[in-house]
Structures are given as C-alpha cells and as structure tokens.
Amino acid sequence: MSERRANRRFVKSDGIAPVDAHQRPRDYLTPDEMRRLLIAARSGRHGPRDHAMLLLMYRHGLRVSELIALRRSDLDLKAGHLWVHRLKRGLATSHPLAGNELRAIRRLLVGRQDSLSWLFLSERGQTLTRQAVNYLVTVIAARAGLGAVHPHMLRNSCGHALAHAGRDLRLIQDYLGHRDPRHTARYTRTAATRFEGLW
C-alpha cells in the first residue's frame, strides 16, 4: 500500500472533517429554487403525486427510504399530523402538516381507486423504488431549469431552511431525527442568521 493511500485512509478514520469541507459545493436548494421545483412537479404527467411527494420530502426532511415507506395510516388528516418513521436509528416523531401540504395530500388521494396502504405509488400501482424517486427528481429539476438535483438535497434544504429561519439546533435535530447533534450542526454553522448584527 502506498504512503499516500495509507495517509488518506488514516485521515478518514479519525472522525475529523476534512480541512476543505467548507469548500464543498452547495448541497441544498434555496427557497426560490424549491418553489420552482414544486411548480415543475405539478406540471408533469403525475402532477398531484409528484408535487405532494417533493413537498413532503422538503417540509419534513425525508430520506428517500422514509418517503417510499409512508403509508396512509401514517396520516391523520383531521388533526393535521404525519407520523414520520426515521431510519438510521433516528427519532420517529409526529409532524404537523401545513395547509398546503394537507391540500396536496387530498389532491393525491382523491384520484386513488385502490385500497393499497402505501401513500405513494408507481404508475403500475406498486410502491415506488429509490431508483424511481431519483429519476423523478432529476426529470422535474430539469423541467424547472435547475442543475443536478438529487433527492437528499431536499432533506438538506429542509435543514438549511430551518437554520436560516433561526430555529434552535436541538429542535432541528429532533425534527430531522438526528441522533448525533454534529449532523445537525452543519446546517446552523452556515446559516446567515448567525452573522446578523456583526456590523
């Protein structure tokens, strides 16, 4: 094994972020970009499904696996709540649904003729796969005139939006289901609100 490879492996294993981590490209969408993405989602062949899907991913910071695992029984439309099952040993929680989310979900369900338990279905009436969601996000982003967008960017966009709104680190941590606060700190460290009032 070369010295260069050995050093690289040692740096990765020490648990410290690389020195140039702050130079990585932006991995989230701004609120305006999210608005454009959601408008583009409505205009597709399966507009109600795609719009509701992207809206919930963004507003609730859902991973793809968490999204495709959602069931109708996770919804309480009367109370306006969504039960979010977190993966990676994350904290499962009940999230409030905003008015536009409730309307999007009702538009999605009004056209459903089946009795299947999954909230989001493919064109063939089966559960969506990770690959299908990746493809849909790519196609919708292209229609919106955005660059390369992948589904996890919507989760990151949620964290950044909450941090830029000045929400508490612990609150964001619980909302996104992070066990380790270090995973949440990346959002609050880059939030513009941290630097307000410096001048």
Side-chain angles (χ1 to χ4, degrees), residues 149-163:
V149 176
H150 57 82
H152 202 76
M153 287 177 75
L154 275 68
R155 176 173 167 82
N156 291 341
S157 301
C158 175
H160 281 285
L162 293 174

Side-chain angles (χ1 to χ4, degrees), residues 95 162 166-177 184:
H95 285 192
L162 293 174
R167 304 301 182 206
D168 178 70
L169 171 67
R170 184 56 191 268
L171 186 63
I172 300 173
Q173 179 186 346
D174 288 347
Y175 190 76
L176 293 176
T184 315

